[in-house]
Structure formats: structure tokens, C-alpha cells
Amino acid sequence: RKEVEQDPGPFNVPEGATVAFNCTYSNSASQSFFWYRQDCRKEPKLLMSVYSSGNEDGRFTAQLNRASQYISLLIRDSKLSDSATYLCVVSDGGATNKLIFGTGTLLAVQP
Amino acid sequence: DGGITQSPKYLFRKEGQNVTLSCEQNLNHDAMYWYRQDPGQGLRLIYYSQIVNDFQKGDIAEGYSVSREKKESFPLTVTSAQKNPTAFYLCASKPPKGPSSGNTIYFGEGSWLTVV
């Protein structure tokens, strides 16, 4: 089983749609969780951290379910500029807290 | 402006040659990382360094070498022993632990290496 698993997509959605991405992780000792956004042929950039209580940043909402080892990202009112690959990132739970990256979910928002 | 600078952005290497990718940061971060990204795969950790003059192998260190002689600099050498070096290479750094930094890492713009 992969340490971090994501549906690769692509998710093709119309502008204005709500879309949700899911991610599962295998290490119950993981303590830090993030969503990164990566545009084509660019470096990943931090979108948001994910907290146990859930957190929201504008149109983006992240949820964490530690019992099920599951993370989600909800994007409301999708914009064309949201088209990108979304990477689920989890710490390895070790002493150095290295980050493990999922393979990403591709989102294409259509006009 | 503070940031992480990688160079060169594009590099072509002949088989059997060693090449070095530069990574410089002026963020005063202690920890630095090198990742490799291949199409359809997640980022894989090559090497990391938590402090000057110290570095550790990541998951795919074979065929690579690094040095950390200065806090600001963490160059990666792709040696001829790396059989499939064509990839997108990303350098990253992490701020010191603090109330607002979490465990977040920040990336440079990446270097594209192609073997010809």
C-alpha cells in the first residue's frame, strides 16, 4: 500500500462547480498534513495546512479524519485559475518529520 | 526578496557525465532537501540536511551526492552512476520550528535535467 494515496483524476468540472479531493495515508503516527498546489512544469506551492478541527481559507476547506487516516480538500465556486495538480502531503511521523507526497490529483476547470 | 534559487533551470547531460545542480536560499532556514519528480509519480526524497556539515540519505540517494558546507547552499551532484537521471529536480527548505511555521517546506523553481 502506498504511504499516501490520491485519485489521480483528471477531474473535469465546469466553472462554479464544487469539487472534492480525497487522500488516504498509511502511517498512523503522521502528525502534519498539507495540501500543495502544483501548476504544470512548476514547483509545488503550499495551499493550506490541514488541522484536526478542519479549516477553511476562502473557497477552500480542508478536513482531517485521524481515525480513518483520511484527508479531504473541498473547492467551492471553482475558477479557471484553480486548474492545477493538488498534492496531498503527510509527515512520516519519524524524528525528522520528513514529508511524504502523494502523486497528486489533476483538476481541470472548464469555461 | 528572500527565496530559494535553483540553477540552471534546464540542463542537458551526456551519458557518463556528472552534473551539479545549485540550490541557494537566503531565508536563514536550517533544513534543506532535494526531491526528484517523474511524470505520474509523487516527489521522492533524494537527500536532506538539517544543519550545516550534516546530511542524510533519502529514499533514492543512489547515484547522487550532496554537500552542505554553508547554511545557504545545498548543491546536488547527479553522477554517472544514476541510471535514469532525466527528471524534474526540486530543492526545498524548511523554517525553524515555531508557532507559525509548522512543518511546512518551501520549494525553489526546480531544475529540468535531460540526458541526451
Side-chain angles (χ1 to χ4, degrees), chain A residues 15-17 19 25 29 37 40-41 46 48 55-56 60 84 92:
Chain A
E15 269 187 291
V19 61
Y25 61 95
R37 171 196 167 125
C40 187
R41 301 180 69 84
L46 178 67
M48 58 197 303
N55 47 299
E56 189 173 304
F60 299 84
D92 70 350

Side-chain angles (χ1 to χ4, degrees), chain B:
Chain B
D1 281 358
I4 303 169
T5 302
Q6 288 187 239
S7 63
K9 193 169 179 66
Y10 299 98
L11 183 61
F12 296 88
R13 188 195 94 171
K14 291 183 180 178
E15 285 197 35
Q17 279 184 338
N18 292 355
V19 293
T20 297
L21 307 180
S22 168
C23 178
E24 303 278 330
Q25 54 99 358
N26 59 5
L27 301 167
N28 201 33
H29 290 174
D30 286 314
M32 296 186 73
Y33 306 81
W34 274 104
Y35 289 88
R36 166 182 174 144
Q37 188 174 34
D38 295 276
Q41 296 199 38
L43 276 68
R44 292 184 289 167
L45 183 63
I46 304 172
Y47 267 98
Y48 64 101
S49 167
Q50 298 206 287
I51 199 166
V52 175
N53 292 322
D54 183 60
F55 50 83
Q56 306 295 329
K57 290 182 179 180
D59 302 315
I60 55 164
E62 186 175 348
Y64 299 98
S65 65
V66 293
S67 62
R68 188 83 187 277
E69 297 175 2
K70 298 187 299 181
K71 187 175 187 177
E72 302 79 18
S73 179
F74 191 40
L76 174 74
T77 296
V78 185
T79 75
S80 56
Q82 171 48 240
K83 296 306 175 192
N84 295 295
T86 295
F88 186 38
Y89 290 87
L90 288 155
C91 179
S93 67
K94 184 162 75 173
K97 267 192 176 178
S100 59
S101 65
N103 193 29
T104 313
I105 65 172
Y106 298 92
F107 289 91
E109 293 187 345
S111 293
W112 292 90
L113 174 62
T114 303
V115 172
V116 295

